[in-house]
Amino acid sequence: MSNRALIEELNAMRYATITNMPVTAANLIRRAAAALEAQEWQTIETAPKNSTNRLVWCPENQCTFSVTWDATTEPPNWAFFGAGRSLNYLCVTPTHWRPLPDPPTD
């Protein structure tokens, strides 16, 4: 099941049965839906302009890149990184972003 399908199912469950559930179960469903939704691709306009690394989608070459916001450039813009060098020339206009996934635990 995709994250989007799970979010929709959790939201439907939350609204359909929330009055019959214990408060802790309802809160758990709300938190799970919010956590999954935060991991979905979002339009680039909603991306935080800070130094947090994130993934962006670049449609011109159908690739994702790790980026951070670089306020030191004129004009401020996304700074693309990979293989230890700047990759700004590979992606002119990212259209979507998402947080980096959690690192491996083992």
Side-chain angles (χ1 to χ4, degrees):
M1 175 180 294
S2 70
N3 282 354
R4 176 60 45 203
L6 185 55
I7 291 167
E8 289 171 7
E9 187 174 319
L10 287 169
N11 280 327
M13 185 188 317
R14 177 174 81 190
Y15 294 119
T17 61
I18 202 141
T19 56
N20 299 325
M21 281 188 204
V23 173
T24 54
N27 287 339
L28 179 61
I29 290 170
R30 272 191 215 97
R31 289 193 345 249
L36 285 170
E37 197 161 9
Q39 293 298 316
E40 292 289 308
W41 287 101
Q42 301 170 52
T43 60
I44 198 68
E45 294 80 18
T46 65
K49 304 290 195 292
N50 60 31
S51 61
T52 303
N53 285 348
R54 62 195 50 94
L55 291 178
V56 293
W57 172 251
C58 300
E60 62 262 27
N61 56 14
Q62 303 286 297
C63 287
T64 58
F65 293 97
S66 176
V67 303
T68 189
W69 184 250
D70 186 357
T72 65
T73 61
E74 189 54 45
N77 208 343
W78 298 108
F80 295 79
F81 298 100
R85 61 191 172 106
S86 172
L87 298 174
N88 288 30
Y89 63 94
L90 291 177
C91 182
V92 178
T93 53
T95 59
H96 291 79
W97 76 280
R98 63 169 289 170
L100 291 174
D102 291 334
T105 57
D106 55 350

